[in-house]
Amino acid sequence: MPLNREVRGESGRVSIAMATYNGAAHLRAQVESLFGQSRMPDELVVHDDASTDGTQQLLLDIAEKAPFPVRISQADRNHGVNAAFETALRHCRGDIVFFCDQDDIWHPDKVKACLDALDQHPEAAFVFSDASQFTGGCSDLSQSLWQLSAFSPARQIAFRRSPLETMLKGGNFVYGMASAFRRNAILPFARIDCDPIAMTHDTWFSLHTVAMGATGIALPPRLVRYRRHAAQTSVVLGGAAAFGDAGRQKAQLRAARLIAALLTVRSNVEREGRSQGIGVTSSLAHLDRKIAFLQARENLRRDRRIASALKAIANPDYWHLAKGPASVLRDYRGIW
C-alpha cells in the first residue's frame, strides 16, 4: 500500500529505477537493503535486460514479498545498461527517482538522507553521496569512490560554485547508485542517446541538469556500499592506459563516442533552453570548449608531430581541462 503524504514528506513519491542483467548472485542482498530503508520507497521499477541466469524468476519471487509495489519489465534481447535504465525511468511514477544497480548495498538511511537534502534545497535537481567499496567480505576497502575519483574538498567547493565547469574539467563523480534526481528535471532528457562506453546514465542526467542551470547537492556520508567483482556490468573509473593496437583502437573509439555524446548533450540543452525560455549561452560555451579540446587531443594523438606538441603546450585548455605538459607528453606519445 502506498505511503501517505505525511510519511512521504515534502519531496513526494519516490521511485527506485533498477536495471538488471545476469545479477542473480547479488540481487537479493541489494533488494534486502531497499526493504530495510528507514524511509520506504513508493515503488521499485525494474527492467531486466534479457538475463539468462535466473534473475527474472528471482525478481518475480522478490516482488511477491516486497513491502511496496514492484513492477518488472523484460527485454527480448540485451540492449545495454543505458537502454535498460532509460526503460526503467520511463515506467517510474514518482517525483524523485533513485537509480539502483543490482549488486550494491544501500545504507538504511540513504533514501531519507537524500530526500532531506532535496527538501532543504528546492533549487537542486539532484543529490548524490559518497560510497564505500567492498569486494564481498564484511569489511569495506579504505578508499571511497569520491577519493578514487579525486572529488576532494576543494573540488566540492568548485562544484558548488560552478557545477558544469567542474564536471567537464575532470572525471565523473556523480554515480548513479549513489544519486537521486527530480523526475521532472530529467524527463526532457529521458532518451539516453549515447554509447555507454563513453557516457552512462548518471553522467548523462547530471550533465544535462547542471547545463540547464540547476545544481546538485553533494552529501559526504557513504550511503552506498559499491560492490567490486569480476562479473559487474559497469566500471566506475576507466582502466589503465591503452597500449598496443587493440588498446589504442578501443581508446580511440571511446574518445570518439565521448565527443559524440557531448555533442548530443549540447544539442539537447540548446533545444530545451529555447523551449523553456532559459538562457543557456554560458553552458553551451563550456560544452563547446570541452568538445574542441577533446578534438584537439585526438588530433595530437594521431598526428604526433613535435610542432603539434609545442602548439598543445601553449593551448590554455591543456592546463585548464587536463594536466598541462604531462598530458601533452602522453598525447604526443599516443597514450590514451
Side-chain angles (χ1 to χ4, degrees):
M1 179 179 296
L3 301 176
N4 61 40
R5 183 70 180 181
E6 287 73 22
V7 176
R8 288 204 300 267
E10 294 299 320
S11 298
R13 295 177 61 84
V14 171
S15 297
I16 295 179
M18 173 185 280
T20 59
Y21 176 65
N22 289 346
H26 305 295
L27 179 59
R28 191 175 294 278
Q30 168 67 290
V31 173
E32 286 177 353
S33 75
L34 306 185
F35 292 172
Q37 290 296 301
S38 60
R39 195 295 195 185
M40 288 284 193
D42 295 283
E43 64 175 1
L44 170 61
V45 180
V46 187
H47 182 72
D48 183 74
D49 203 20
S51 293
T52 59
D53 69 340
T55 292
Q56 294 177 355
Q57 183 57 52
L58 178 56
L59 287 170
L60 294 174
D61 295 342
I62 288 170
E64 290 184 357
K65 303 172 184 176
F68 42 75
V70 177
R71 294 187 288 119
I72 304 166
S73 61
Q74 299 176 351
D76 56 355
R77 62 182 178 85
N78 185 262
H79 293 273
V81 61
N82 280 353
F85 274 113
E86 176 182 330
T87 302
L89 170 63
R90 290 187 183 278
H91 286 91
C92 289
R93 300 168 181 168
D95 304 292
I96 308 297
V97 176
F98 287 75
F99 290 104
C100 182
D101 292 344
Q102 64 187 4
D103 48 10
D104 303 320
I105 297 177
W106 286 13
H107 187 281
D109 288 330
K110 180 195 171 185
V111 171
K112 182 181 185 303
C114 291
L115 294 182
D116 287 347
L118 289 172
D119 286 342
Q120 293 166 15
H121 298 276
E123 78 286 356
F126 63 98
V127 58
F128 62 103
S129 75
D130 197 358
S132 60
Q133 303 182 83
F134 75 110
T135 57
C138 296
S139 299
D140 291 339
L141 303 178
S142 61
Q143 191 176 44
S144 76
L145 289 189
W146 281 11
Q147 292 169 334
L148 188 64
S149 60
F151 192 50
S152 62
R155 201 169 175 210
Q156 293 169 42
I157 293 172
F159 176 77
R160 290 196 294 270
R161 183 175 61 248
S162 182
L164 177 60
E165 186 176 9
T166 305
M167 292 193 69
L168 292 175
K169 191 173 182 178
N172 182 48
F173 46 79
V174 180
Y175 304 114
M177 77 306 197
S179 62
F181 290 79
R182 298 190 194 275
R183 186 165 67 101
N184 62 359
I186 60 176
L187 276 183
F189 316 108
R191 183 173 180 236
I192 309 175
D193 189 16
C194 62
D195 192 319
I197 70 168
M199 186 180 295
T200 48
H201 63 288
D202 40 19
T203 306
W204 175 265
F205 288 125
S206 53
L207 269 181
H208 275 94
T209 53
V210 298
M212 289 298 297
T215 190
I217 304 302
L219 294 181
R222 301 175 185 182
L223 298 178
V224 179
R225 298 182 71 209
Y226 172 76
R227 187 189 301 269
R228 287 195 170 276
H229 58 92
Q232 64 194 143
T233 58
S234 62
V235 178
V236 168
L237 295 175
F243 293 96
D245 291 341
R248 289 193 179 97
Q249 288 175 5
K250 184 176 181 180
Q252 286 174 344
L253 176 63
R254 181 184 182 279
R257 297 291 169 82
L258 175 58
I259 291 170
L262 288 171
L263 285 168
T264 302
V265 171
R266 187 200 188 283
S267 176
N268 290 346
V269 169
E270 184 175 33
R271 177 205 70 220
E272 199 61 25
R274 188 184 306 114
S275 172
Q276 297 186 26
I278 297 174
V280 293
T281 302
S282 176
S283 294
L284 297 180
H286 282 305
L287 288 164
D288 285 340
R289 185 176 184 181
K290 177 71 171 186
I291 292 165
F293 171 67
L294 292 176
Q295 291 170 334
R297 292 193 79 168
E298 292 308 295
N299 290 336
L300 175 57
R301 287 165 172 170
R302 290 181 174 85
D303 184 13
R304 297 174 65 182
R305 292 187 299 128
I306 188 64
S308 300
L310 293 173
K311 183 178 179 181
I313 290 177
N315 181 350
D317 282 340
Y318 260 99
W319 302 81
H320 179 71
L321 296 172
K323 297 180 180 179
S327 295
V328 173
L329 179 61
R330 285 174 60 87
D331 295 341
Y332 173 66
R333 294 176 59 195
I335 300 173
W336 275 259

